[in-house]
Amino acid sequence: MGGALPSDQVNAESTGYSVEFEVAFATEAGEQRLSLVGFESWLERDRLMLLDFDPDTVGLASQPYWLFWTTAEARSRSHAPDYFARLADGTAIVLDCRPLDRIKPKDEVAFEATRAACELLGWRYEIVGTPPEVLLANVRWLAGYRHPRHDLHVVAQTLRAVFSRPMPLWRSPAHSRAVKIAADRPLRRRSSPRP
């Protein structure tokens, strides 16, 4: 499998350069993403949306590195995982997106090599399939409100203050103007839907 990779950096030995792929995509929790992250399939797009809405994800890169290794049969192989995500607690996760019923033996070999490389670096590795339909529908709907025109900071602050303790909506002091203004908009851009 070649030499060990340094943490948070991927070496491209054949070209003699290294890329710190997190630098380009790092964000603070709750900050609007300013960089585009690529995807090659609808399944990758759906996973990307879920990662973007996950409050624990603070950095994200698409196909962050190529992994090269030699098989037991002396054949050269390579694989680029779909996503690298840095989490708020400092840990990292590498993801491959594939419908679980469509993983071929050749893919299994690549995924196992990726898992082994991630373990060497202390990163978590997962193969993710199709997300739950309802969760995905909610995330797609909320994603439409990521545009700056929907940023109603003052209204959101008012609602958070009013509802800092649980109460029925109809009993709240915000039942008047604030709720009517915000009823058709999300309370914040990084709403985190759950299944």
Side-chain angles (χ1 to χ4, degrees), residues 112-125:
E112 279 310 309
T114 305
R115 181 181 311 283
C118 288
E119 285 176 9
L120 286 172
L121 295 167
W123 297 345
R124 201 167 86 216
Y125 174 72

Side-chain angles (χ1 to χ4, degrees), residues 34-190:
L34 300 177
S35 300
L36 298 178
V37 179
F39 59 89
E40 296 178 324
S41 68
W42 297 126
L43 186 61
E44 287 183 26
R45 178 211 55 194
D46 294 344
R47 186 57 54 178
L48 179 61
M49 290 174 68
L50 291 171
L51 288 166
D52 187 45
F53 272 88
D54 183 348
D56 291 332
T57 302
V58 296
L60 186 58
S62 173
Q63 294 187 325
Y65 60 87
W66 279 93
L67 180 64
F68 298 91
W69 74 97
T70 303
T71 66
E73 298 81 27
R75 294 184 57 207
S76 295
R77 289 286 312 268
S78 63
H79 176 65
D82 294 318
Y83 293 111
F84 173 93
R86 178 64 66 190
L87 305 180
D89 65 2
T91 61
I93 182 168
V94 174
L95 300 171
D96 270 310
C97 305
R98 190 69 51 94
L100 301 180
D101 61 342
R102 294 178 60 194
I103 297 175
K104 301 173 184 170
K106 181 174 118 174
D107 299 326
E108 287 177 357
V109 171
F111 295 160
E112 279 310 309
T114 305
R115 181 181 311 283
C118 288
E119 285 176 9
L120 286 172
L121 295 167
W123 297 345
R124 201 167 86 216
Y125 174 72
E126 290 182 19
I127 302 164
V128 292
T130 307
E133 191 175 319
V134 172
L135 173 64
L136 192 54
N138 287 333
V139 168
R140 284 182 182 149
W141 177 75
L142 288 169
Y145 290 96
R146 300 287 303 239
H147 193 278
R149 72 176 168 259
H150 298 292
D151 187 11
L152 300 172
H153 188 68
V154 173
V155 174
Q157 277 185 325
T158 302
L159 289 172
R160 282 190 197 107
V162 168
F163 292 105
S164 62
R165 58 184 178 80
M167 73 174 71
L169 180 62
W170 59 272
R171 280 193 184 158
S172 73
H175 181 80
S176 59
R177 181 169 159 61
V179 172
K180 290 176 185 172
I181 290 172
D184 63 341
R185 294 177 177 88
L187 298 183
R188 59 188 183 148
R189 268 187 262 153
R190 285 188 62 84

